[in-house]
Amino acid sequence: MRSLGSSPVQGVHTRDSGRDHAGYRAEIDGVRALAVLAVVFYHFSIPGFEGGFVGVDIFFVISGYLIGGILWREMTQTGTLALGAFYTRRIRRLAPAFVVVMATTMAVGYVVLLPFEFRDLGKSLVSSVLYLSNVNFFRAAGYFDGAADQKILLHTWSLSLEEQFYLLIPVLMFLMRRHLHALKWALVAIFAASLVACILVTPISSTAAFYLFPFRAWQMLAGVLLAIALYQREAQGLHTKGPNTWGLGTARALPAVSWLGLAMLVASIVFLRPGPAFPGALALIPTVGTLLVLANGTRDNAVNRCLSAPVCVFLGAISYPLYLWHWPVLTLARYANGGRAETLTETIVYLAASLLLATATYLWIERPFRRRGAPSGGRVLTGAAFASVVLLVAGGTAYRLDGMPDRFDASARIHIDASADFIQDWSRCSVPADGPLQGVSVCPIGPDGPPTFLVWGDSHARALSQGLSLLADERGKSGLLIWRAGCPPLFGIEKVESATTRQQDRDCTDANIRIRQAMSQMKGMTSLLLIGRWSYYTEGGGTGIDAQNTITLKPGETTAATGSSDQRQLFSDALDATIDESRKWFRQVLVLRQIPEIARYDSRDVARRMVLGGADAAAQAEARMTISRTEVAERVSVSERPFEALAREGKIVWLDPVDRFCSVAICSALHDGRSFYFDNNHITNEAARSIRHLFDPLLEETVASVARGKGQ
């Protein structure tokens, strides 16, 4: 699922919010309408709007153009800036709708969200109120990741980014108000530096370039510089045909300018695609397109007439509340529907609900605060401060109280507790800048000291980390844990996975090559433990609730595999090569038999069903908690054959956890009134601690032959 924030800030440049230096321009509301519809339709997965996320780029330029023009005109006419009045207008314009939407979202979240989700919502709210939402989501994940539909306030990232613009640029202009020529060139320099930084950083970290102010400031400054250029041309008398125009000379009159700008905007919305190449240089397309439309906006041509149509003006007027409402409406609706994609009818209903809420907010919340007789500036500031404190307290309370789990009954709490028991502390982990494991994330476990064992695996190793760490502490043994989700701990193969990006696939390959090269230098380590979801790699995909996830193995560039195209054979060949190579450097190699998969279980899904669906849903949830042992055996039969052969040959110690989760006939997520599973294949921290002694052979100091005897 995708998510994108937008900040359709109208500034004071609207029909009923005061006049800027050039008067009201209806076509700007039309551009806003195009931008907000692009974003909304993108989020609702409407065909033809796959690049609709660029709507935020359009809004950045519009905001810079309007705010920059207003401030520059004020400075040139008065010699100073009334920053207090400027920020009062900003608060009057933005705060009322924001407060209403955030308060409503928190109230709904309190009723329906699970504790860890409500906790995250509270954290997001706090960061948004403090204008740090973009930083929060930058640190959490990428914009185009698969968990976006769980981030109910993700769309506030650009609100925070624009607020950072409002805090910094007007202050800079105020400080340099006596030196307008120097100010203009300072803005040009900052614009150029930001643009270059965006282009250079995007290939390195597209997430940073997407979210953070230094790499987005150029788009808003582009609007500022356009406004300054147009105003200066007007002041020089190059175009004086009307009081509401900023002249650009004869060239500006060409309708082709508007048509080119509109074509660039439409092309961006239709043809650009989300991914690691954006923003970078690609963001120039919607940015320049917006500049061209704005620069030629007062001319009488077909483009401007279309953008000034009543329906466009109306959608532009409600663009800010529409953006605020549409993402919570969509994410909470999907949440209630179990995360499934909405039908056409549901899409229409959710769109209609977003439009109705936006219209009501505009008419009954926004406009009353901008009309004559509205609350004074002092009362607005006081009210905004009070509302901000209330929101901060609400968000902070939800975060500090871990999402308030006592809201739900005991039967749901079993699965709620499991859904929260997957959080771990990785503060000890690091990525060495040099040495044999340079560039690979490594996590010490056990007490401080030279490591004597290595645990290498995929996300199953992550799920077991607390149990391994506790055992290492109890035994006084130090070790290293290396894990990467969806990355088989095997040499000589590469993978292509549906749930990851191509860069993440390459990172898996690179990390495994680095680990292979480092093994000969891991002095003092005597034992190696391999942990993985083995059937996922042999069968090429998940099962039950994650059956849609696929993974394809192929020979790596340095593979010792036979070159077979059969995935199962590739896996077996890579396993043999990995074990043979590892035995050169470790006295014993241990492998954990795959944790049994409870195909249709997910603690979050079951908890939601029990919270939201009533008795029938609870009964259906019960059926998801178990699976026959026969089905489990069928799922792993192929993947386990090569391991069993290696164990018989005495090459590995085969650690078997299955009896800890299964009776003779049934495997279950529930044990002693608790759920031991987070989802259908990852166990909880509590479960990991409960089976930690399964790994005693890993910490044995005896020679490998003794350990091998335990695996026969």
Side-chain angles (χ1 to χ4, degrees):
M1 175 51 221
R2 306 164 295 185
S3 173
L4 179 67
S6 174
S7 181
V9 179
Q10 298 180 17
V12 294
H13 195 92
T14 58
R15 205 185 300 245
D16 56 351
S17 61
R19 304 283 182 174
D20 73 338
H21 49 280
Y24 173 69
R25 286 172 49 182
E27 88 284 348
I28 293 183
D29 268 333
V31 180
R32 287 195 188 98
L34 177 64
V36 76
L37 290 180
V39 174
V40 171
F41 287 173
Y42 168 74
H43 288 159
F44 279 86
S45 302
I46 304 297
F49 288 84
E50 287 78 8
F53 55 87
V54 301
V56 72
D57 302 77
I58 299 172
F59 281 121
F60 286 161
V61 178
I62 294 174
S63 293
Y65 173 73
L66 297 176
I67 298 306
I70 293 171
L71 295 178
W72 187 265
R73 182 179 182 85
E74 181 179 347
M75 284 191 301
T76 56
Q77 292 187 348
T78 68
T80 188
L81 281 178
L83 286 183
F86 169 78
Y87 288 119
T88 298
R89 292 195 301 267
R90 292 290 86 219
I91 292 171
R92 188 189 296 273
R93 170 67 185 89
L94 299 174
F98 177 83
V99 169
V100 169
V101 175
M102 295 302 108
T104 303
T105 302
M106 281 295 289
V108 175
Y110 178 84
V111 175
V112 303
L113 294 182
L114 301 183
F116 78 96
E117 296 160 335
F118 192 55
R119 179 180 184 271
D120 287 346
L121 178 61
K123 179 182 179 181
S124 298
L125 178 62
V126 170
S127 67
S128 182
V129 173
L130 296 177
Y131 308 148
L132 294 172
S133 184
N134 58 326
V135 178
N136 175 45
F137 290 117
F138 160 70
R139 297 179 62 183
Y143 164 72
F144 298 113
D145 68 10
D149 59 354
Q150 300 174 18
K151 303 172 185 177
I152 299 171
L153 297 185
L154 178 58
H155 66 318
T156 63
W157 75 270
S158 67
L159 295 175
S160 292
L161 195 149
E162 284 208 11
E163 292 299 338
Q164 292 160 18
F165 171 77
Y166 296 146
L167 288 173
L168 296 176
I169 298 303
V171 171
L172 173 65
M173 297 176 79
F174 176 80
L175 294 175
M176 299 185 69
R177 65 192 183 279
R178 306 295 185 189
H179 310 281
L180 295 185
H181 185 72
L183 170 60
K184 181 174 66 176
W185 287 107
L187 294 174
V188 170
I190 298 171
F191 162 82
S194 176
L195 173 58
V196 171
C198 178
I199 294 173
L200 294 179
V201 169
T202 295
I204 301 171
S205 176
S206 60
T207 304
F210 190 92
Y211 277 115
L212 299 183
F213 178 77
F215 312 112
R216 288 289 200 159
W218 66 274
Q219 294 179 295
M220 289 168 278
L221 285 170
V224 172
L225 293 173
L226 174 64
I228 292 173
L230 293 176
Y231 179 81
Q232 287 186 327
R233 286 180 181 268
E234 179 192 19
Q236 292 168 4
L238 294 181
H239 188 75
T240 58
K241 288 190 175 182
N244 294 331
T245 58
W246 287 2
L248 269 179
T250 304
R252 181 169 171 258
L254 295 174
V257 174
S258 295
W259 281 111
L260 177 59
L262 182 62
M264 295 179 73
L265 295 181
V266 173
S268 300
I269 294 167
V270 174
F271 296 112
L272 288 184
R273 294 293 181 268
F278 194 88
L282 290 175
L284 283 165
I285 303 173
T287 301
V288 173
T290 307
L291 292 173
L292 292 176
V293 173
L294 293 177
N296 210 35
T298 60
R299 289 297 177 174
D300 183 15
N301 59 50
V303 172
N304 291 328
R305 287 194 297 271
C306 179
L307 293 173
S308 301
V311 65
C312 295
V313 171
F314 171 75
L315 289 172
I318 68 167
S319 58
Y320 177 56
L322 178 57
Y323 185 77
L324 282 176
W325 278 114
H326 87 281
W327 187 241
V329 167
L330 181 60
T331 53
L332 288 170
R334 284 177 174 165
Y335 180 89
N337 288 333
R340 63 171 174 80
E342 53 275 359
T343 65
L344 176 60
T345 300
E346 289 170 338
T347 297
I348 294 172
V349 170
Y350 302 156
L351 280 170
S354 301
L355 284 168
L356 288 172
L357 288 168
T359 301
T361 303
Y362 174 71
L363 294 175
W364 300 333
I365 303 297
E366 283 192 38
R367 291 183 65 179
F369 276 87
R370 300 203 301 269
R371 289 174 176 166
R372 291 182 180 179
S376 65
R379 293 177 63 186
V380 167
L381 293 175
T382 301
F386 176 77
S388 297
V389 170
V390 171
L391 291 177
L392 287 172
V393 170
T397 301
Y399 181 78
R400 292 294 300 273
L401 297 183
D402 290 324
M404 304 177 180
D406 293 338
R407 293 175 289 143
F408 304 105
D409 62 32
S411 60
R413 282 287 301 275
I414 293 174
H415 308 284
I416 289 171
D417 291 344
S419 71
D421 195 25
F422 203 56
I423 300 171
Q424 296 163 335
D425 179 11
W426 299 102
S427 59
R428 296 182 67 190
C429 302
S430 64
V431 179
D434 51 30
L437 288 171
Q438 178 182 356
V440 178
S441 179
V442 295
C443 304
I445 55 177
D448 293 334
T452 60
F453 65 91
L454 172 65
V455 180
W456 178 29
D458 56 15
S459 58
H460 281 211
R462 173 220 194 272
L464 287 157
S465 63
Q466 282 207 2
L468 289 163
S469 183
L470 177 58
L471 178 65
D473 285 331
E474 291 172 343
R475 300 285 295 274
K477 303 292 184 181
S478 301
L480 287 181
L481 170 67
I482 299 176
W483 71 275
R484 186 178 292 271
C487 186
L490 299 172
F491 299 141
I493 58 172
E494 299 176 2
K495 61 99 174 181
V496 177
E497 193 175 5
S498 63
T500 59
T501 66
R502 298 292 77 84
Q503 183 59 53
Q504 289 171 322
D505 292 337
R506 289 191 291 270
D507 290 344
C508 168
T509 300
D510 294 343
N512 287 0
I513 291 173
R514 178 69 66 179
I515 293 168
R516 185 177 196 172
Q517 296 169 341
M519 277 191 173
S520 62
Q521 304 175 58
M522 294 182 178
K523 307 300 183 183
M525 291 196 189
T526 60
S527 300
L528 169 67
L529 171 63
L530 301 179
I531 299 176
R533 190 185 182 188
W534 310 118
S535 64
Y536 182 59
Y537 306 124
T538 59
E539 302 308 308
T543 181
I545 62 171
D546 75 327
Q548 76 281 358
N549 292 334
T550 61
I551 186 168
T552 301
L553 304 183
K554 58 181 181 179
E557 294 181 2
T558 58
T559 183
T562 63
S564 170
S565 60
D566 179 77
Q567 180 142 328
R568 295 173 175 179
Q569 187 62 51
L570 275 173
F571 176 86
S572 180
D573 293 342
L575 175 63
D576 289 340
T578 302
I579 298 302
D580 289 342
E581 179 112 6
S582 301
R583 281 167 53 84
K584 296 177 184 178
W585 314 112
F586 296 91
R587 287 189 297 180
Q588 63 172 349
V589 178
L590 307 93
V591 179
L592 179 68
R593 187 182 186 189
Q594 179 176 308
I595 297 290
E597 296 170 324
I598 313 298
R600 299 179 63 229
Y601 180 78
D602 184 291
S603 61
R604 297 157 295 181
D605 177 67
V606 170
R608 289 167 186 159
R609 288 172 180 269
M610 300 183 78
V611 168
L612 300 175
D616 290 341
Q620 295 175 10
E622 291 285 345
R624 296 173 174 266
M625 302 175 196
T626 60
I627 188 173
S628 73
R629 191 157 181 170
T630 301
E631 290 181 75
V632 171
E634 291 175 352
R635 165 74 173 167
V636 301
S637 61
V638 173
S639 65
E640 291 187 349
R641 289 172 191 164
F643 292 108
E644 292 168 348
L646 290 167
R648 287 193 298 269
E649 295 169 12
K651 292 185 175 181
I652 65 169
V653 177
W654 186 230
L655 303 178
D656 188 352
V658 174
D659 287 342
R660 311 293 179 94
F661 300 94
C662 304
S663 65
V664 174
I666 295 294
C667 298
S668 175
L670 299 185
H671 298 273
D672 301 323
R674 296 165 294 175
S675 174
F676 272 14
Y677 280 74
F678 173 76
D679 58 20
N680 71 342
N681 67 98
H682 294 98
I683 61 174
T684 63
N685 295 326
E686 181 180 11
R689 292 190 294 269
S690 74
I691 66 169
R692 66 187 183 278
H693 290 295
L694 178 70
F695 301 104
D696 282 340
L698 175 66
L699 305 183
E700 294 289 346
E701 294 183 350
T702 54
V703 294
S705 60
V706 175
R708 290 181 191 129
K710 297 182 180 181
Q712 301 299 320

